[in-house]
Amino acid sequence: MKTDKTTPLIQLSGITKRFGKLTAVDNVSLDIKRGEKLVIIGPSGSGKSTLLRAINFLEKIDKGEIRFEGTRVGYVIKKGRMTLDKPSRICALRSEIGMVFQHFYLFPHMTVLGNVMEGPLTVQKKAPEEARDIALAMLDKVGIVDKKDVFPATLSGGQKQRVAIARAIAMRPKLMLFDEPTSALDPELVGEVFETIRSLAKEGMTMVVVTHQMGFAREIADRVIFMEQGTFIAQGTPQEFFSKHMNNERIKNFLDKIL
Amino acid sequence: MPILPTTNSKTSRGGYTPLLVVFLLSCFLLTSTPPVRAQNTENFLVQGKNALSTGDIETAATLLRKVPHPGVHGDDGSFAQSRMLLARMFFSVKDFAQATAVCQEILQFYPDNQEAKNFLTSISRESSPVYIQFFQDTIKFLPALAKGTVMTLFLVLLTIIISPILGLLIALGRIGSFRPVQSLCWFVIWIFRGTPLLLQLFFIYYALPTFGITLQPITAAIMGLSLNYSAYLAEIIRGGIQSIDYGQTEAAKALGMTYAQSMRRIIIPQTYKRLMPPIGNEFIALIKDTALVSTIAMVELMRSADLLFNTYFNITVLILAALIYLAMTSVFTLTFEKIETIVGAYENR
């Protein structure tokens, strides 16, 4: 198995996803290197979230190939059709990829600590004490360890999202996916979440972020991709992107609208 | 009646043989027939009865009172008879003091007369205040009803244990993606929710023996109740599971959980609070529906009440049964409200 440092962590090639007649992601190919911070921007309905969700198989793709650390994963061909691999394999893959959702989706019936412990405990079958130690360390990292015994209902949006990040990184994932992590937050709460993501980025975590926050994109991204109608319109480093591609009519329109 | 005295008067005057024969004959007849007085008292009894039947209570009372004490002449039972009639008469017009006095009159001469004794207790019962009557009846009927209640509770508890488990399995089968199981679960719900419980009980108890399956009444009752309630609970549980935000499933999946793990750890625990009100409803309905198993030879609370009522025609039995059912349903209502606040605590804290 080729797992040397030069192999991209994730390779997507020719990904196509349709919802009925609508093609949400249209023949997209993308390599994500270890430690890379990739930001995907674009108008809503452009397929950003769908692409992100295809990476951890929450969205079943119709065509294409996904390679994780060089190995083709996730799908098998049955009777000429692409079918998801055995559930146990899919689960194993997902446990290597953390995901943070726009609407947090914390488990409301568990305390903050319970939420963060859940992955190590149930999925990785760690001992309760070990899971607890990991969870406390993660809560400390996102700066919310003092809230460990409360239920999510009492937290602010920013606190919830930080707990959700702690829950994801408690699994020690190789890749983090952020699906508009600040879109559901009040503007004054955006900062604390970005701060948390920024510190993760500094530790060298590989991440794909879908966001509308251009300032943040420019700050953390190694590469920015502009997506529209299921395809990549443009990509490049933030410097390239926000200077060169500003001339592109569609990107200009989009940026004018949101800035 | 006028013949004998006439004959008597004739014999006293005449002295010749045929008349003597008649006299001797009369003497014989007189000694062999009841004494004249006795015959009169009999008449008072008969006349009194007649007066009673026409509804002339006062005349009847006067006539019946004229029937003399047994000490006056030989004891032919007419005294006791007349006084019992009087007692019942007074009782029927709710003159309990008079009725009691008459009964005691009987006991004066016949201290062992059981009828009078029994009647006295009836009078004291009837003349006592309603609450004392109710209290006395309660003591009388409660043991039998309690036995029935134990059976009802037993049926309820068993169904409460079995039906949520079976209901959850059916619900999961219905939600799951395996077609044959899906269809089977749909079919079970269709049958048991779509036909009357009474019919299902009849079918299990009376019709299954035709197919070689003979069940004890209690087994049949538990089967019928459990299957019926499982069908309802299955739909309630399915609704509960599907009402949980799909984001919860996605978050569980994203962590790498299997379907079973996400159900067990994430989805099902969140349904508890939502399920408590409808399931509480079902269980209250269940308590009342156990009354239906009385039709398949089960003696539970309703059947016990029915038996007692048909023996004594005493409405206290029905009131008691109603109170016991109310007590059971009230306990359930309160318990489920309590459980609801406990399992839903995370939403308020």
Side-chain angles (χ1 to χ4, degrees), chain A residues 98-180:
Chain A
M99 183 160 192
V100 172
F101 300 86
Q102 180 179 354
H103 296 289
F104 333 126
Y105 299 140
L106 292 181
F107 306 134
H109 59 301
M110 295 176 178
T111 60
V112 164
L113 185 65
N115 265 275
V116 184
M117 281 172 70
E118 189 57 24
L121 200 64
T122 305
V123 179
Q124 295 177 331
K125 312 271 187 220
K126 291 208 155 85
E129 308 78 49
E130 198 189 347
R132 195 185 148 85
D133 290 344
I134 294 171
L136 286 172
M138 295 307 145
L139 284 173
D140 191 40
K141 193 177 262 181
V142 301
I144 204 163
V145 76
D146 55 319
K147 296 277 188 187
K148 67 182 170 61
D149 292 322
V150 306
F151 285 96
T154 57
L155 299 179
S156 73
Q159 290 170 327
K160 281 181 189 167
Q161 198 58 298
R162 279 148 64 200
V163 173
I165 293 168
R167 179 176 69 181
I169 59 177
M171 295 289 289
R172 308 237 182 253
K174 291 177 176 157
L175 169 68
M176 282 290 292
L177 308 173
F178 293 89
D179 189 2
E180 304 196 24

Coordinates of all heavy atoms in Angstrom, one line a residue, chain A residues 98-180:
Chain A
G98 N -13.4 13.4 10.2 CA -14.3 14.2 11.1 C -15.2 15.1 10.3 O -14.7 15.6 9.3
M99 N -16.4 15.4 10.8 CA -17.2 16.3 10.1 C -17.9 17.2 11.1 O -18.4 16.8 12.1 CB -18.2 15.6 9.2 CG -19.1 16.5 8.4 SD -19.9 15.7 7.0 CE -20.4 17.1 6.1
V100 N -18.0 18.5 10.7 CA -18.7 19.5 11.5 C -19.8 20.1 10.6 O -19.5 20.5 9.5 CB -17.7 20.6 12.0 CG1 -18.5 21.7 12.7 CG2 -16.7 20.0 13.0
F101 N -21.0 20.1 11.2 CA -22.1 20.6 10.4 C -22.5 22.0 10.7 O -22.3 22.5 11.8 CB -23.4 19.7 10.7 CG -23.2 18.2 10.4 CD1 -22.6 17.4 11.3 CD2 -23.5 17.7 9.2 CE1 -22.4 16.0 11.1 CE2 -23.4 16.3 8.9 CZ -22.8 15.5 9.8
Q102 N -23.2 22.6 9.7 CA -23.8 23.9 9.9 C -24.6 24.0 11.2 O -24.5 25.0 11.9 CB -24.6 24.3 8.7 CG -25.1 25.7 8.7 CD -25.9 26.1 7.5 OE1 -26.0 25.3 6.5 NE2 -26.6 27.2 7.5
H103 N -25.5 23.0 11.4 CA -26.4 23.1 12.5 C -26.0 22.2 13.7 O -26.8 21.7 14.5 CB -27.8 22.7 12.1 CG -28.4 23.6 11.1 ND1 -28.8 24.9 11.4 CD2 -28.6 23.6 9.7 CE1 -29.2 25.6 10.3 NE2 -29.1 24.8 9.3
F104 N -24.7 22.0 13.8 CA -24.0 21.4 15.0 C -24.4 19.9 15.1 O -23.5 19.0 15.2 CB -24.3 22.1 16.3 CG -24.6 23.6 16.2 CD1 -25.7 24.1 16.7 CD2 -23.7 24.4 15.5 CE1 -25.9 25.5 16.6 CE2 -23.9 25.7 15.4 CZ -25.0 26.3 15.9
Y105 N -25.7 19.6 15.2 CA -26.2 18.3 15.5 C -25.5 17.6 16.7 O -25.1 16.4 16.6 CB -26.1 17.4 14.2 CG -26.8 17.9 13.1 CD1 -26.3 17.8 11.8 CD2 -28.1 18.4 13.2 CE1 -27.0 18.3 10.7 CE2 -28.8 18.9 12.1 CZ -28.3 18.8 10.9 OH -29.0 19.3 9.8
L106 N -25.4 18.4 17.8 CA -25.0 17.7 19.0 C -26.1 16.8 19.4 O -27.2 16.9 19.1 CB -24.7 18.8 20.1 CG -23.5 19.7 19.8 CD1 -23.4 20.7 21.0 CD2 -22.3 18.9 19.6
F107 N -25.7 15.8 20.2 CA -26.7 14.8 20.7 C -27.3 15.4 22.0 O -26.7 15.5 23.0 CB -26.0 13.5 21.1 CG -25.3 12.9 19.9 CD1 -24.0 12.4 20.1 CD2 -25.8 12.9 18.6 CE1 -23.3 11.9 19.0 CE2 -25.1 12.4 17.5 CZ -23.8 11.9 17.7
P108 N -28.6 15.9 21.9 CA -29.2 16.7 23.0 C -29.4 15.9 24.3 O -29.5 16.5 25.3 CB -30.5 17.1 22.4 CG -30.8 16.0 21.4 CD -29.5 15.6 20.8
H109 N -29.4 14.6 24.2 CA -29.7 13.8 25.4 C -28.4 13.4 26.2 O -28.5 12.7 27.2 CB -30.4 12.5 25.0 CG -29.7 11.6 24.1 ND1 -29.3 12.1 22.8 CD2 -29.3 10.4 24.2 CE1 -28.7 11.1 22.2 NE2 -28.7 10.0 23.0
M110 N -27.3 13.9 25.7 CA -26.0 13.6 26.3 C -25.4 15.0 26.8 O -25.6 16.0 26.1 CB -25.0 13.0 25.4 CG -25.5 11.6 24.9 SD -24.3 10.9 23.8 CE -25.0 9.3 23.4
T111 N -24.6 14.9 27.9 CA -23.9 16.1 28.3 C -22.9 16.4 27.3 O -22.6 15.6 26.4 CB -23.3 15.9 29.7 OG1 -22.3 14.8 29.5 CG2 -24.3 15.5 30.7
V112 N -22.3 17.6 27.5 CA -21.2 18.0 26.6 C -20.1 16.9 26.6 O -19.6 16.5 25.5 CB -20.6 19.4 27.0 CG1 -19.3 19.7 26.4 CG2 -21.6 20.5 26.7
L113 N -19.7 16.5 27.8 CA -18.7 15.5 27.9 C -19.1 14.2 27.2 O -18.4 13.6 26.5 CB -18.4 15.2 29.4 CG -17.2 14.2 29.7 CD1 -15.9 14.8 29.2 CD2 -17.1 13.9 31.2
G114 N -20.4 13.8 27.4 CA -21.0 12.6 26.8 C -20.9 12.7 25.3 O -20.5 11.7 24.6
N115 N -21.2 13.9 24.7 CA -21.1 14.0 23.3 C -19.7 13.8 22.8 O -19.5 13.1 21.7 CB -21.5 15.5 22.9 CG -22.9 15.6 22.6 OD1 -23.3 15.4 21.5 ND2 -23.8 16.0 23.6
V116 N -18.7 14.3 23.5 CA -17.3 14.2 23.0 C -16.8 12.8 23.2 O -16.0 12.2 22.4 CB -16.4 15.3 23.6 CG1 -15.0 15.2 23.1 CG2 -17.0 16.6 23.4
M117 N -17.3 12.1 24.3 CA -16.8 10.8 24.6 C -17.4 9.7 23.6 O -16.9 8.6 23.5 CB -17.2 10.4 26.0 CG -16.4 10.9 27.1 SD -17.1 10.5 28.7 CE -16.9 8.8 28.8
E118 N -18.6 10.1 23.0 CA -19.4 9.1 22.3 C -18.6 8.4 21.2 O -18.7 7.1 21.1 CB -20.6 9.8 21.7 CG -21.6 8.8 21.2 CD -22.1 7.8 22.1 OE1 -22.1 8.0 23.4 OE2 -22.6 6.7 21.7
G119 N -17.9 9.1 20.4 CA -17.1 8.5 19.3 C -16.1 7.5 19.8 O -16.2 6.3 19.5
P120 N -15.1 7.9 20.7 CA -14.1 7.0 21.2 C -14.8 5.8 21.9 O -14.3 4.7 21.8 CB -13.4 7.8 22.2 CG -13.5 9.2 21.7 CD -14.9 9.3 21.1
L121 N -15.9 6.1 22.6 CA -16.5 5.0 23.4 C -17.2 4.0 22.5 O -17.0 2.8 22.6 CB -17.5 5.7 24.4 CG -18.0 4.9 25.6 CD1 -16.8 4.7 26.5 CD2 -19.0 5.7 26.3
T122 N -18.1 4.5 21.7 CA -19.0 3.6 20.9 C -18.3 3.0 19.7 O -18.4 1.9 19.3 CB -20.3 4.3 20.6 OG1 -20.9 4.7 21.8 CG2 -21.3 3.3 19.9
V123 N -17.6 3.9 19.0 CA -17.1 3.5 17.7 C -15.7 2.9 17.8 O -15.4 1.8 17.3 CB -17.0 4.8 16.7 CG1 -16.4 4.3 15.4 CG2 -18.4 5.4 16.5
Q124 N -14.8 3.5 18.6 CA -13.5 3.0 18.8 C -13.4 2.0 19.9 O -12.3 1.5 20.2 CB -12.5 4.2 19.0 CG -12.4 5.0 17.7 CD -11.5 6.3 17.9 OE1 -11.4 6.7 19.1 NE2 -10.9 6.7 16.9
K125 N -14.5 1.8 20.7 CA -14.6 0.9 21.8 C -13.5 1.1 22.8 O -12.9 0.1 23.3 CB -14.4 -0.6 21.2 CG -15.3 -0.9 20.0 CD -16.7 -1.4 20.5 CE -17.5 -1.8 19.3 NZ -18.9 -1.4 19.4
K126 N -13.2 2.3 23.1 CA -12.2 2.6 24.1 C -12.9 2.5 25.5 O -14.1 2.5 25.6 CB -11.7 4.1 24.0 CG -10.9 4.3 22.7 CD -9.9 5.4 22.9 CE -8.7 5.2 22.0 NZ -8.8 5.8 20.7
A127 N -12.0 2.2 26.5 CA -12.5 2.1 27.9 C -13.1 3.5 28.3 O -12.6 4.5 27.9 CB -11.4 1.7 28.8
P128 N -14.1 3.5 29.1 CA -14.8 4.7 29.6 C -13.8 5.8 30.1 O -13.8 7.0 29.8 CB -15.8 4.3 30.6 CG -16.1 2.9 30.3 CD -14.8 2.3 29.7
E129 N -12.8 5.3 30.9 CA -11.8 6.2 31.5 C -11.0 6.9 30.4 O -10.7 8.1 30.4 CB -10.9 5.5 32.5 CG -11.6 4.7 33.6 CD -12.1 3.4 33.1 OE1 -11.3 2.6 32.5 OE2 -13.3 3.1 33.3
E130 N -10.5 6.1 29.5 CA -9.7 6.6 28.4 C -10.5 7.6 27.6 O -10.0 8.6 27.2 CB -9.2 5.4 27.5 CG -8.0 5.8 26.7 CD -7.6 4.7 25.7 OE1 -8.1 3.6 25.8 OE2 -6.9 5.0 24.8
A131 N -11.7 7.2 27.2 CA -12.6 8.0 26.4 C -12.8 9.4 27.1 O -12.8 10.4 26.5 CB -13.9 7.4 26.1
R132 N -12.9 9.3 28.4 CA -13.2 10.5 29.3 C -11.9 11.4 29.2 O -12.1 12.6 29.0 CB -13.5 10.1 30.7 CG -14.1 11.1 31.5 CD -14.2 10.6 33.0 NE -14.0 11.7 33.9 CZ -15.0 12.5 34.2 NH1 -16.2 12.3 33.7 NH2 -14.8 13.6 35.0
D133 N -10.8 10.8 29.3 CA -9.5 11.6 29.3 C -9.4 12.3 27.9 O -9.1 13.5 27.9 CB -8.3 10.7 29.5 CG -8.3 10.2 31.0 OD1 -9.0 10.8 31.8 OD2 -7.6 9.2 31.3
I134 N -9.6 11.5 26.9 CA -9.6 12.1 25.5 C -10.5 13.3 25.4 O -10.2 14.4 25.0 CB -9.9 11.0 24.4 CG1 -8.8 10.0 24.4 CG2 -10.0 11.7 23.1 CD1 -9.1 8.8 23.6
A135 N -11.8 13.0 25.8 CA -12.8 14.0 25.7 C -12.5 15.3 26.5 O -12.6 16.4 26.0 CB -14.2 13.5 26.2
L136 N -11.9 15.1 27.7 CA -11.6 16.3 28.5 C -10.5 17.1 27.8 O -10.5 18.3 27.8 CB -11.2 15.9 29.9 CG -12.3 15.4 30.8 CD1 -11.8 14.9 32.1 CD2 -13.3 16.6 31.1
A137 N -9.5 16.3 27.2 CA -8.4 17.0 26.5 C -8.9 17.8 25.3 O -8.5 18.9 25.1 CB -7.4 16.0 26.0
M138 N -9.9 17.2 24.6 CA -10.5 17.9 23.4 C -11.3 19.1 23.8 O -11.2 20.2 23.2 CB -11.4 16.9 22.6 CG -10.6 15.8 22.0 SD -9.2 16.3 21.0 CE -8.1 15.0 21.4
L139 N -12.0 19.0 24.9 CA -12.8 20.1 25.4 C -11.9 21.2 25.9 O -12.2 22.4 25.7 CB -13.7 19.7 26.6 CG -15.0 18.9 26.2 CD1 -15.7 18.3 27.4 CD2 -15.9 19.8 25.3
D140 N -10.8 20.9 26.4 CA -9.8 21.8 26.9 C -9.2 22.6 25.6 O -9.1 23.8 25.6 CB -8.7 21.1 27.6 CG -7.8 22.1 28.3 OD1 -8.3 23.1 28.9 OD2 -6.6 21.9 28.3
K141 N -9.0 21.8 24.6 CA -8.4 22.4 23.4 C -9.4 23.4 22.8 O -8.9 24.4 22.3 CB -8.2 21.2 22.4 CG -7.4 21.6 21.2 CD -7.1 20.5 20.3 CE -5.7 19.9 20.6 NZ -5.5 18.7 19.7
V142 N -10.7 23.1 22.8 CA -11.6 24.1 22.2 C -12.1 25.1 23.3 O -13.0 25.9 23.0 CB -12.9 23.4 21.6 CG1 -12.4 22.5 20.5 CG2 -13.7 22.7 22.6
G143 N -11.5 25.0 24.5 CA -11.8 26.0 25.5 C -13.2 26.0 26.1 O -13.7 27.0 26.4
I144 N -13.7 24.8 26.3 CA -15.1 24.8 26.9 C -15.2 23.7 27.9 O -16.3 23.2 28.2 CB -16.1 24.6 25.7 CG1 -17.4 25.1 26.1 CG2 -16.1 23.2 25.2 CD1 -18.3 25.3 24.9
V145 N -14.1 23.4 28.5 CA -14.0 22.3 29.5 C -14.9 22.6 30.7 O -15.5 21.6 31.4 CB -12.6 21.9 29.9 CG1 -12.0 22.9 30.9 CG2 -12.5 20.5 30.5
D146 N -15.1 23.8 31.0 CA -16.0 24.2 32.2 C -17.4 23.8 32.0 O -18.2 23.8 32.9 CB -15.8 25.7 32.5 CG -16.2 26.5 31.3 OD1 -15.8 26.2 30.1 OD2 -16.8 27.6 31.4
K147 N -17.8 23.6 30.7 CA -19.2 23.3 30.4 C -19.4 21.8 30.3 O -20.5 21.3 29.8 CB -19.7 24.0 29.1 CG -19.7 25.5 29.2 CD -20.9 26.0 29.8 CE -21.0 27.5 29.7 NZ -22.1 28.1 30.4
K148 N -18.5 21.0 30.7 CA -18.5 19.5 30.4 C -19.8 18.8 30.9 O -20.2 17.9 30.3 CB -17.3 18.8 30.9 CG -17.1 18.8 32.4 CD -15.8 18.1 32.8 CE -15.5 18.2 34.3 NZ -16.5 17.6 35.2
D149 N -20.4 19.3 32.0 CA -21.5 18.6 32.6 C -22.9 19.1 32.2 O -23.9 18.6 32.7 CB -21.3 18.5 34.1 CG -20.1 17.7 34.5 OD1 -19.9 16.6 33.8 OD2 -19.4 18.0 35.4
V150 N -22.9 20.1 31.3 CA -24.2 20.6 31.0 C -24.7 20.0 29.7 O -24.0 19.3 29.0 CB -24.2 22.2 30.8 CG1 -23.7 22.9 32.0 CG2 -23.5 22.6 29.6
F151 N -26.0 20.1 29.5 CA -26.6 19.6 28.2 C -26.5 20.6 27.1 O -26.6 21.9 27.4 CB -28.1 19.2 28.5 CG -28.2 17.9 29.3 CD1 -28.4 17.9 30.6 CD2 -28.1 16.7 28.6 CE1 -28.5 16.7 31.4 CE2 -28.2 15.5 29.3 CZ -28.4 15.5 30.7
P152 N -26.4 20.2 25.9 CA -26.2 21.2 24.8 C -27.3 22.3 24.7 O -27.0 23.4 24.3 CB -26.3 20.3 23.5 CG -25.9 18.9 24.0 CD -26.4 18.8 25.4
A153 N -28.5 22.0 25.2 CA -29.6 23.0 25.1 C -29.2 24.3 25.7 O -29.8 25.3 25.4 CB -30.9 22.4 25.7
T154 N -28.3 24.3 26.7 CA -28.0 25.5 27.4 C -26.9 26.3 26.8 O -26.6 27.4 27.3 CB -27.7 25.2 28.9 OG1 -26.5 24.3 28.9 CG2 -28.8 24.5 29.6
L155 N -26.3 25.7 25.8 CA -25.1 26.4 25.2 C -25.5 27.4 24.1 O -26.5 27.3 23.5 CB -24.2 25.4 24.6 CG -23.6 24.3 25.5 CD1 -22.7 23.3 24.7 CD2 -22.8 24.9 26.6
S156 N -24.6 28.4 23.9 CA -24.8 29.3 22.8 C -24.4 28.6 21.5 O -23.7 27.5 21.6 CB -23.9 30.6 23.0 OG -22.6 30.2 22.8
G157 N -24.7 29.2 20.4 CA -24.4 28.6 19.1 C -22.9 28.3 19.0 O -22.4 27.3 18.5
G158 N -22.1 29.4 19.4 CA -20.7 29.3 19.2 C -20.1 28.1 20.1 O -19.2 27.4 19.7
Q159 N -20.6 28.0 21.3 CA -20.2 27.0 22.2 C -20.6 25.6 21.7 O -19.8 24.7 21.7 CB -20.8 27.2 23.6 CG -20.3 28.4 24.3 CD -21.1 28.7 25.6 OE1 -22.3 28.5 25.6 NE2 -20.4 29.2 26.6
K160 N -21.8 25.5 21.1 CA -22.2 24.2 20.5 C -21.3 23.8 19.4 O -20.9 22.6 19.3 CB -23.6 24.4 19.9 CG -24.7 24.3 21.0 CD -26.1 24.5 20.3 CE -27.2 24.6 21.3 NZ -28.4 25.0 20.7
Q161 N -20.9 24.8 18.5 CA -20.1 24.4 17.4 C -18.7 24.0 17.9 O -18.1 23.1 17.3 CB -20.0 25.6 16.4 CG -19.5 25.2 15.0 CD -20.4 24.1 14.4 OE1 -20.5 23.0 14.8 NE2 -21.0 24.5 13.3
R162 N -18.2 24.6 19.0 CA -16.9 24.2 19.5 C -17.0 22.8 20.1 O -16.0 22.0 19.9 CB -16.4 25.2 20.6 CG -15.8 26.5 19.9 CD -16.0 27.7 20.7 NE -15.4 27.7 22.0 CZ -15.7 28.4 23.0 NH1 -16.7 29.3 22.9 NH2 -15.0 28.4 24.2
V163 N -18.1 22.5 20.7 CA -18.3 21.1 21.2 C -18.3 20.1 20.1 O -17.7 19.1 20.1 CB -19.5 21.0 22.1 CG1 -19.8 19.5 22.5 CG2 -19.4 21.9 23.3
A164 N -19.0 20.6 19.0 CA -19.1 19.7 17.8 C -17.7 19.4 17.2 O -17.4 18.3 16.8 CB -20.0 20.3 16.8
I165 N -16.9 20.5 17.2 CA -15.5 20.3 16.7 C -14.7 19.3 17.6 O -14.0 18.4 17.2 CB -14.8 21.6 16.6 CG1 -15.4 22.5 15.5 CG2 -13.3 21.4 16.3 CD1 -15.0 23.9 15.5
A166 N -14.9 19.5 19.0 CA -14.2 18.6 19.9 C -14.7 17.2 19.7 O -13.9 16.3 19.8 CB -14.6 19.1 21.4
R167 N -16.0 17.0 19.5 CA -16.5 15.7 19.2 C -15.9 15.0 18.0 O -15.6 13.8 18.0 CB -18.1 15.8 19.0 CG -18.7 14.4 18.8 CD -20.2 14.6 18.7 NE -20.6 15.3 17.4 CZ -21.9 15.5 17.1 NH1 -22.9 15.2 17.9 NH2 -22.2 16.1 16.0
A168 N -15.7 15.8 17.0 CA -15.1 15.3 15.8 C -13.6 15.0 16.0 O -13.2 13.9 15.6 CB -15.3 16.3 14.6
I169 N -12.9 15.9 16.6 CA -11.4 15.6 16.7 C -11.1 14.6 17.8 O -10.0 14.1 17.8 CB -10.6 16.9 16.9 CG1 -11.0 17.6 18.2 CG2 -10.7 17.9 15.7 CD1 -10.2 18.8 18.6
A170 N -12.1 14.3 18.6 CA -11.8 13.2 19.6 C -11.6 11.9 19.0 O -11.0 11.0 19.6 CB -13.0 13.1 20.6
M171 N -12.0 11.7 17.7 CA -11.8 10.5 17.0 C -10.4 10.4 16.4 O -10.0 9.5 15.7 CB -12.8 10.3 15.9 CG -14.3 10.2 16.4 SD -14.6 8.6 17.1 CE -14.5 7.5 15.7
R172 N -9.6 11.5 16.6 CA -8.3 11.7 16.0 C -8.3 11.4 14.4 O -7.7 10.5 13.9 CB -7.3 10.7 16.6 CG -7.2 10.8 18.1 CD -5.8 11.1 18.6 NE -5.8 11.1 20.0 CZ -5.6 12.3 20.7 NH1 -5.6 13.4 20.1 NH2 -5.5 12.2 22.0
P173 N -9.2 12.2 13.8 CA -9.4 11.9 12.3 C -8.1 12.4 11.5 O -7.4 13.2 12.0 CB -10.6 12.8 12.0 CG -10.5 13.9 13.0 CD -10.0 13.3 14.2
K174 N -8.0 11.9 10.3 CA -6.9 12.3 9.4 C -7.4 13.5 8.6 O -6.5 14.1 8.0 CB -6.5 11.1 8.5 CG -5.9 10.0 9.3 CD -5.5 8.8 8.4 CE -4.8 7.8 9.2 NZ -4.9 6.5 8.6
L175 N -8.7 13.7 8.5 CA -9.2 14.8 7.7 C -10.4 15.4 8.4 O -11.2 14.6 9.0 CB -9.6 14.2 6.3 CG -10.4 15.1 5.4 CD1 -9.6 16.2 4.9 CD2 -11.0 14.3 4.2
M176 N -10.5 16.7 8.4 CA -11.7 17.3 8.9 C -12.5 18.0 7.8 O -11.9 18.7 7.0 CB -11.3 18.4 10.0 CG -10.9 17.8 11.3 SD -12.3 17.1 12.2 CE -13.2 18.5 12.6
L177 N -13.8 17.8 7.8 CA -14.7 18.5 6.9 C -15.5 19.5 7.6 O -16.2 19.1 8.6 CB -15.6 17.5 6.2 CG -14.9 16.2 5.5 CD1 -15.9 15.3 5.0 CD2 -14.0 16.7 4.4
F178 N -15.5 20.7 7.2 CA -16.4 21.7 7.8 C -17.4 22.2 6.8 O -17.1 22.8 5.8 CB -15.5 22.9 8.3 CG -14.6 22.6 9.4 CD1 -13.3 22.1 9.2 CD2 -15.0 22.8 10.8 CE1 -12.4 21.8 10.2 CE2 -14.1 22.5 11.8 CZ -12.8 22.0 11.5
D179 N -18.7 22.0 7.1 CA -19.7 22.4 6.2 C -20.4 23.6 6.7 O -21.3 23.6 7.6 CB -20.8 21.2 6.1 CG -21.8 21.5 5.0 OD1 -21.7 22.5 4.3 OD2 -22.7 20.6 4.8
E180 N -20.0 24.8 6.2 CA -20.5 26.1 6.7 C -20.6 26.1 8.2 O -21.7 26.3 8.7 CB -21.8 26.3 6.0 CG -21.8 26.3 4.5 CD -23.0 26.9 3.8 OE1 -23.6 27.8 4.5 OE2 -23.3 26.5 2.7

